[in-house]
Amino acid sequence: MKSQFNKTMNVVDVLFLAIGAMLGWGWVVLSGEWVSTAGFVGSIIAFVIGGILVIVIGLTYAELASAIPETGGGFVFVKKAFSPGIAFISGWSVLFGYVSVITFEAVALPTVIDYVIPFKHQGLMWNIAGWDVYFTWVLIGSVGSIILTSLNYFGVKPAAIMQTVFTIFIVAVGLLLVFGAGFNGNFSHLTPFENGLGGTMSVLMMIPFLFVGFDVIPQIAEEVKAPSKKVGGILILSIIASVIFYLLIVFGVAAGLSPKALTTSNLATADAMVNLFGHSGFGVLLVLGGVAGIITSWNAFIIGGSRILYAMANNGMIPKWFAYIHPKYKTPTHGIIFLGVLAFVAPLLGRPALVWIVNAGGIGVVLGYLLVAISFIKLRKSQPDLKRPYHIRNGMFVGIVAIVLSVGFLLIYMPGMPSSLSWPSEWLIVIAWYLIALVLYMTQGSRKHSDEHVAFTKNQEQ
């Protein structure tokens, strides 16, 4: 069956798509928390362990992406291994994570712009969870959503070019911080550990969610003009590159700020940059790198999310409207518009509500990882002859480790755990998301059955 998509993305586009997705805004806002919670060595250990865990999960995706290079990624893998119902849960879960990131970035943008250009916002609209929502603040996020939605609407290539340029800028800014730390940093600040094993574990728990984004690569497999084997290799390379970037940022912040300064800093990465170079302009430059991170992760998840919607609609699981491909631009424009609308209205909810959505959405991503890892094992057994251009060694062992890790990270969200989802706000979002899934699946299933019955009746009459 001929693909409806154009093969316009090259190897470089795909690599920067995934790296840009993983290097969002977290490296700017969370680095101080990592170092003050676990210390320099504790943070490094957490990122090395966490990086290995993500690479193990990534290996299952890499093999399956090379074997089944179809739009939809994990959703398609699970559908090939199991029933459509389980595939639906997989696709809907990953979409949950993508939507949470897209909506969060629409709120992060005005938050960061406030740092670069301090501005007294006008037009108080309402207060949500103790937070005032202003019209001018909402406007920044909503305009950002219009720009990014438009960029993706007119073809994946313009979005890919922007992704590459912005990702190079993020890496350049990050390397400038490391360069400054190497020459002007105080190495006596590199305290090995803080808060013992508990501190390292606290950082480790954040890591899988910093690396959400490598799984965007399988979503656009049909649009890549490169051998399938190479796509699998790029996926793993993107994770390794992102792990190295985060390790360097930990070094830069730890050497750039004293432990005391870390505890009082609101934006440690920017403050470390100012401290190392002695000028506030460098702090603004670093925050602009953070703005670029917001845009690259936002852009990547619009690309990935719209392809999941397309694949699910194409399989009759959600309304067919989402399967529309623009005849000229060859993009799933209805899915892109839908995600754009969500991002456009997201700032209206204010910052606290968006934190609830992000926390809740993380559970969907990890559930998606788990189902792909199980599918990886199942397909190894049920379809041993499936051509796997990127064939990983000790596949069964890797698959089992990926399953165990995914279950472990899923447990982190459960009641009683230190970082469990809060009740009622976050758990109600999870329940609502999966109730929508149930309604969609049942109504689409009955509609599909009805259509098949009509078609059968017509054939009988003829």
Side-chain angles (χ1 to χ4, degrees):
M1 185 177 165
K2 190 178 182 295
S3 172
Q4 293 191 67
F5 294 93
N6 285 336
K7 286 187 179 289
T8 54
M9 297 188 75
N10 59 35
V11 169
V12 174
D13 293 333
V14 175
L15 180 64
F16 283 113
L17 176 69
I19 293 175
M22 288 183 269
L23 306 184
W25 170 235
W27 65 279
V28 177
V29 288
L30 297 175
S31 58
E33 192 178 334
W34 304 332
V35 180
S36 57
T37 302
F40 170 65
V41 176
S43 298
I44 293 292
I45 290 170
F47 270 94
V48 169
I49 294 170
I52 291 167
L53 308 187
V54 176
I55 287 167
V56 168
I57 293 167
L59 283 168
T60 64
Y61 273 84
E63 179 173 297
L64 292 171
S66 73
I68 313 164
E70 297 175 24
T71 298
F75 163 77
V76 179
F77 309 155
V78 177
K79 185 171 177 285
K80 198 166 185 72
F82 295 105
S83 67
I86 296 173
F88 182 89
I89 293 167
S90 168
W92 193 252
S93 296
V94 174
L95 185 66
F96 189 16
Y98 285 12
V99 165
S100 73
V101 174
I102 289 166
T103 51
F104 177 76
E105 302 299 15
V107 168
L109 186 63
T111 306
V112 182
I113 297 295
D114 280 353
Y115 183 95
V116 180
I117 312 165
F119 176 70
K120 183 160 177 56
H121 287 288
Q122 304 295 319
L124 178 63
M125 298 171 77
W126 45 69
N127 182 290
I128 294 180
W131 203 82
D132 291 336
V133 181
Y134 286 91
F135 173 75
T136 50
W137 188 86
V138 168
L139 194 63
I140 295 168
S142 297
V143 168
S145 73
I146 292 170
I147 294 168
L148 275 168
T149 304
S150 303
L151 193 69
N152 277 279
Y153 186 97
F154 296 114
V156 75
K157 191 64 181 178
I161 292 168
M162 185 211 70
Q163 186 83 356
T164 300
V165 171
F166 276 55
T167 304
I168 289 169
F169 178 65
I170 296 166
V171 173
V173 170
L175 290 177
L176 186 63
L177 171 71
V178 175
F179 176 80
F183 283 91
N184 302 326
N186 188 335
F187 289 9
S188 67
H189 293 164
L190 304 180
T191 50
F193 295 95
E194 295 284 346
N195 305 311
L197 181 63
T200 303
M201 287 300 293
S202 295
V203 176
L204 183 60
M205 281 159 57
M206 299 182 205
I207 285 169
F209 319 113
L210 292 170
F211 288 95
V212 172
F214 69 85
D215 49 317
V216 169
I217 291 179
Q219 312 293 355
I220 48 100
E222 284 184 35
E223 297 163 77
V224 182
K225 51 180 178 187
S228 297
K229 184 176 183 178
K230 200 168 266 190
V231 172
I234 292 165
L235 192 151
I236 299 303
L237 179 61
S238 70
I239 298 173
I240 294 169
S242 300
V243 171
I244 292 168
F245 180 86
Y246 279 117
L247 290 172
L248 291 173
I249 294 300
V250 168
F251 165 71
V253 172
L257 285 179
S258 67
K260 186 180 178 183
L262 274 172
T263 57
T264 57
S265 172
N266 289 326
L267 218 53
T269 324
D271 290 342
M273 191 79 144
V274 172
N275 198 34
L276 289 166
F277 288 96
H279 194 284
S280 60
F282 283 93
V284 172
L285 180 67
L286 190 127
V287 172
L288 289 173
V291 172
I294 289 170
I295 291 167
T296 55
S297 59
W298 190 350
N299 184 52
F301 291 118
I302 289 176
I303 292 171
S306 59
R307 271 63 177 176
I308 294 175
L309 287 166
Y310 164 82
M312 293 179 75
N314 211 31
N315 282 273
M317 294 180 180
I318 59 175
K320 204 73 179 171
W321 184 80
F322 289 104
Y324 176 78
I325 299 292
H326 196 284
K328 181 180 177 183
Y329 306 121
K330 300 296 182 185
T331 52
T333 44
H334 288 178
I336 290 166
I337 290 167
F338 172 74
L339 295 172
V341 169
L342 291 181
F344 184 84
V345 301
L348 294 168
L349 298 173
R351 210 180 299 165
L354 268 295
V355 173
W356 301 336
I357 293 170
V358 167
N359 290 345
I363 203 169
V365 172
V366 180
L367 183 56
Y369 289 165
L370 175 62
L371 291 172
V372 167
I374 295 169
S375 300
F376 172 84
I377 295 270
K378 171 87 187 311
L379 289 169
R380 273 283 180 111
K381 288 182 175 178
S382 63
Q383 298 192 32
D385 298 328
L386 179 68
K387 191 180 176 187
R388 295 170 168 86
Y390 191 86
H391 191 278
I392 60 173
R393 293 179 184 176
N394 306 311
M396 296 304 279
F397 172 74
V398 169
I400 290 165
V401 172
I403 290 169
V404 170
L405 296 176
S406 300
V407 170
F409 280 112
L410 207 53
L411 291 175
I412 287 171
Y413 291 99
M414 296 302 137
M417 300 299 279
S419 58
S420 63
L421 296 183
S422 61
W423 176 265
S425 53
E426 291 170 1
W427 275 112
L428 284 178
I429 291 168
V430 174
I431 292 165
W433 183 259
Y434 286 100
L435 279 175
I436 293 167
L438 182 65
V439 171
L440 270 176
Y441 190 71
M442 289 178 74
T443 53
Q444 287 300 120
S446 60
R447 191 174 298 143
K448 196 174 178 183
H449 180 76
S450 171
D451 291 345
E452 286 169 356
H453 178 72
V454 169
F456 176 78
T457 306
K458 281 184 177 176
N459 287 335
Q460 291 291 95
E461 287 171 355
Q462 287 170 1

